[in-house]
PDB file of all heavy atoms in Angstrom:
ATOM      1  N   SER A 197     -30.030  37.113 -19.969  1.00 76.00           N
ATOM      2  CA  SER A 197     -30.008  37.123 -18.522  1.00 76.00           C
ATOM      3  C   SER A 197     -29.562  35.767 -18.005  1.00 76.00           C
ATOM      4  O   SER A 197     -29.922  34.721 -18.565  1.00 76.00           O
ATOM      5  CB  SER A 197     -31.415  37.372 -17.956  1.00 76.00           C
ATOM      6  OG  SER A 197     -31.924  38.598 -18.399  1.00 76.00           O
ATOM      7  N   PRO A 198     -28.776  35.758 -16.905  1.00 71.00           N
ATOM      8  CA  PRO A 198     -28.422  34.473 -16.294  1.00 71.00           C
ATOM      9  C   PRO A 198     -29.683  33.837 -15.701  1.00 71.00           C
ATOM     10  O   PRO A 198     -30.635  34.561 -15.332  1.00 71.00           O
ATOM     11  CB  PRO A 198     -27.400  34.853 -15.201  1.00 71.00           C
ATOM     12  CG  PRO A 198     -27.622  36.282 -14.965  1.00 71.00           C
ATOM     13  CD  PRO A 198     -28.191  36.897 -16.198  1.00 71.00           C
ATOM     14  N   PRO A 199     -29.718  32.529 -15.578  1.00 68.00           N
ATOM     15  CA  PRO A 199     -30.965  31.849 -15.119  1.00 68.00           C
ATOM     16  C   PRO A 199     -31.513  32.397 -13.802  1.00 68.00           C
ATOM     17  O   PRO A 199     -32.735  32.510 -13.632  1.00 68.00           O
ATOM     18  CB  PRO A 199     -30.517  30.401 -14.944  1.00 68.00           C
ATOM     19  CG  PRO A 199     -29.338  30.262 -15.863  1.00 68.00           C
ATOM     20  CD  PRO A 199     -28.655  31.591 -15.879  1.00 68.00           C
ATOM     21  N   GLU A 200     -30.642  32.727 -12.857  1.00 78.00           N
ATOM     22  CA  GLU A 200     -31.121  33.177 -11.541  1.00 78.00           C
ATOM     23  C   GLU A 200     -31.763  34.593 -11.617  1.00 78.00           C
ATOM     24  O   GLU A 200     -32.372  35.040 -10.690  1.00 78.00           O
ATOM     25  CB  GLU A 200     -29.988  33.180 -10.522  1.00 78.00           C
ATOM     26  CG  GLU A 200     -28.863  34.161 -10.763  1.00 78.00           C
ATOM     27  CD  GLU A 200     -27.790  33.654 -11.742  1.00 78.00           C
ATOM     28  OE1 GLU A 200     -27.945  32.580 -12.363  1.00 78.00           O
ATOM     29  OE2 GLU A 200     -26.759  34.351 -11.837  1.00 78.00           O
ATOM     30  N   SER A 201     -31.579  35.265 -12.742  1.00 74.00           N
ATOM     31  CA  SER A 201     -32.151  36.640 -12.882  1.00 74.00           C
ATOM     32  C   SER A 201     -33.318  36.697 -13.838  1.00 74.00           C
ATOM     33  O   SER A 201     -33.778  37.765 -14.187  1.00 74.00           O
ATOM     34  CB  SER A 201     -31.047  37.588 -13.359  1.00 74.00           C
ATOM     35  OG  SER A 201     -30.003  37.694 -12.405  1.00 74.00           O
ATOM     36  N   ILE A 202     -33.802  35.542 -14.293  1.00 77.00           N
ATOM     37  CA  ILE A 202     -34.925  35.526 -15.205  1.00 77.00           C
ATOM     38  C   ILE A 202     -36.215  35.438 -14.369  1.00 77.00           C
ATOM     39  O   ILE A 202     -36.454  34.490 -13.629  1.00 77.00           O
ATOM     40  CB  ILE A 202     -34.860  34.352 -16.160  1.00 77.00           C
ATOM     41  CG1 ILE A 202     -33.657  34.513 -17.074  1.00 77.00           C
ATOM     42  CG2 ILE A 202     -36.172  34.249 -17.009  1.00 77.00           C
ATOM     43  CD1 ILE A 202     -33.365  33.354 -17.999  1.00 77.00           C
ATOM     44  N   HIS A 203     -37.086  36.483 -14.520  1.00 78.00           N
ATOM     45  CA  HIS A 203     -38.311  36.538 -13.765  1.00 78.00           C
ATOM     46  C   HIS A 203     -39.535  36.432 -14.654  1.00 78.00           C
ATOM     47  O   HIS A 203     -40.654  36.592 -14.209  1.00 78.00           O
ATOM     48  CB  HIS A 203     -38.374  37.829 -12.946  1.00 78.00           C
ATOM     49  CG  HIS A 203     -37.239  37.938 -12.001  1.00 78.00           C
ATOM     50  ND1 HIS A 203     -37.102  37.175 -10.871  1.00 78.00           N
ATOM     51  CD2 HIS A 203     -36.110  38.718 -12.033  1.00 78.00           C
ATOM     52  CE1 HIS A 203     -35.977  37.481 -10.215  1.00 78.00           C
ATOM     53  NE2 HIS A 203     -35.370  38.444 -10.944  1.00 78.00           N
ATOM     54  N   ALA A 204     -39.309  36.121 -15.943  1.00 77.00           N
ATOM     55  CA  ALA A 204     -40.428  35.934 -16.854  1.00 77.00           C
ATOM     56  C   ALA A 204     -41.204  34.692 -16.455  1.00 77.00           C
ATOM     57  O   ALA A 204     -40.634  33.710 -15.943  1.00 77.00           O
ATOM     58  CB  ALA A 204     -39.892  35.796 -18.276  1.00 77.00           C
ATOM     59  N   LEU A 205     -42.483  34.707 -16.667  1.00 81.00           N
ATOM     60  CA  LEU A 205     -43.339  33.606 -16.270  1.00 81.00           C
ATOM     61  C   LEU A 205     -43.620  32.683 -17.423  1.00 81.00           C
ATOM     62  O   LEU A 205     -43.832  33.095 -18.559  1.00 81.00           O
ATOM     63  CB  LEU A 205     -44.667  34.183 -15.738  1.00 81.00           C
ATOM     64  CG  LEU A 205     -44.577  35.090 -14.541  1.00 81.00           C
ATOM     65  CD1 LEU A 205     -45.962  35.609 -14.161  1.00 81.00           C
ATOM     66  CD2 LEU A 205     -43.914  34.386 -13.360  1.00 81.00           C
ATOM     67  N   ASP A 206     -43.623  31.365 -17.115  1.00 84.00           N
ATOM     68  CA  ASP A 206     -43.967  30.362 -18.126  1.00 84.00           C
ATOM     69  C   ASP A 206     -45.486  30.293 -18.212  1.00 84.00           C
ATOM     70  O   ASP A 206     -46.220  30.953 -17.500  1.00 84.00           O
ATOM     71  CB  ASP A 206     -43.313  29.029 -17.822  1.00 84.00           C
ATOM     72  CG  ASP A 206     -43.777  28.422 -16.507  1.00 84.00           C
ATOM     73  OD1 ASP A 206     -44.794  28.827 -15.953  1.00 84.00           O
ATOM     74  OD2 ASP A 206     -43.088  27.485 -16.053  1.00 84.00           O
ATOM     75  N   LEU A 207     -45.973  29.455 -19.130  1.00 88.00           N
ATOM     76  CA  LEU A 207     -47.404  29.333 -19.397  1.00 88.00           C
ATOM     77  C   LEU A 207     -48.189  28.972 -18.161  1.00 88.00           C
ATOM     78  O   LEU A 207     -49.201  29.630 -17.864  1.00 88.00           O
ATOM     79  CB  LEU A 207     -47.610  28.276 -20.508  1.00 88.00           C
ATOM     80  CG  LEU A 207     -49.034  28.138 -21.018  1.00 88.00           C
ATOM     81  CD1 LEU A 207     -49.484  29.418 -21.669  1.00 88.00           C
ATOM     82  CD2 LEU A 207     -49.126  26.986 -21.999  1.00 88.00           C
ATOM     83  N   SER A 208     -47.777  27.978 -17.391  1.00 90.00           N
ATOM     84  CA  SER A 208     -48.530  27.603 -16.190  1.00 90.00           C
ATOM     85  C   SER A 208     -48.518  28.710 -15.135  1.00 90.00           C
ATOM     86  O   SER A 208     -49.555  28.910 -14.462  1.00 90.00           O
ATOM     87  CB  SER A 208     -48.009  26.287 -15.633  1.00 90.00           C
ATOM     88  OG  SER A 208     -46.703  26.419 -15.186  1.00 90.00           O
ATOM     89  N   SER A 209     -47.428  29.433 -15.012  1.00 91.00           N
ATOM     90  CA  SER A 209     -47.360  30.516 -14.038  1.00 91.00           C
ATOM     91  C   SER A 209     -48.302  31.675 -14.426  1.00 91.00           C
ATOM     92  O   SER A 209     -48.847  32.353 -13.559  1.00 91.00           O
ATOM     93  CB  SER A 209     -45.942  31.028 -13.904  1.00 91.00           C
ATOM     94  OG  SER A 209     -45.094  30.012 -13.397  1.00 91.00           O
ATOM     95  N   LEU A 210     -48.436  31.890 -15.729  1.00 94.00           N
ATOM     96  CA  LEU A 210     -49.336  32.935 -16.164  1.00 94.00           C
ATOM     97  C   LEU A 210     -50.820  32.589 -16.004  1.00 94.00           C
ATOM     98  O   LEU A 210     -51.689  33.433 -16.088  1.00 94.00           O
ATOM     99  CB  LEU A 210     -49.078  33.237 -17.658  1.00 94.00           C
ATOM    100  CG  LEU A 210     -47.824  34.016 -18.003  1.00 94.00           C
ATOM    101  CD1 LEU A 210     -47.518  33.979 -19.481  1.00 94.00           C
ATOM    102  CD2 LEU A 210     -47.905  35.462 -17.467  1.00 94.00           C
ATOM    103  N   GLN A 211     -51.088  31.333 -15.660  1.00 94.00           N
ATOM    104  CA  GLN A 211     -52.487  30.894 -15.470  1.00 94.00           C
ATOM    105  C   GLN A 211     -52.933  30.921 -14.008  1.00 94.00           C
ATOM    106  O   GLN A 211     -53.975  30.395 -13.683  1.00 94.00           O
ATOM    107  CB  GLN A 211     -52.625  29.461 -16.038  1.00 94.00           C
ATOM    108  CG  GLN A 211     -52.445  29.408 -17.557  1.00 94.00           C
ATOM    109  CD  GLN A 211     -52.386  28.028 -18.140  1.00 94.00           C
ATOM    110  OE1 GLN A 211     -51.900  27.086 -17.477  1.00 94.00           O
ATOM    111  NE2 GLN A 211     -52.889  27.862 -19.330  1.00 94.00           N
ATOM    112  N   GLN A 212     -52.150  31.625 -13.183  1.00 95.00           N
ATOM    113  CA  GLN A 212     -52.535  31.765 -11.760  1.00 95.00           C
ATOM    114  C   GLN A 212     -53.684  32.749 -11.634  1.00 95.00           C
ATOM    115  O   GLN A 212     -53.800  33.707 -12.423  1.00 95.00           O
ATOM    116  CB  GLN A 212     -51.335  32.198 -10.944  1.00 95.00           C
ATOM    117  CG  GLN A 212     -50.173  31.243 -11.025  1.00 95.00           C
ATOM    118  CD  GLN A 212     -50.543  29.831 -10.592  1.00 95.00           C
ATOM    119  OE1 GLN A 212     -51.149  29.601  -9.530  1.00 95.00           O
ATOM    120  NE2 GLN A 212     -50.218  28.858 -11.424  1.00 95.00           N
TER     121      GLN A 212
END
Side-chain angles (χ1 to χ4, degrees):
S197 301
E200 67 275 9
S201 296
I202 296 174
H203 301 289
L205 300 177
D206 63 16
L207 187 62
S208 64
S209 297
L210 286 168
Q211 294 172 327
Q212 300 305 309

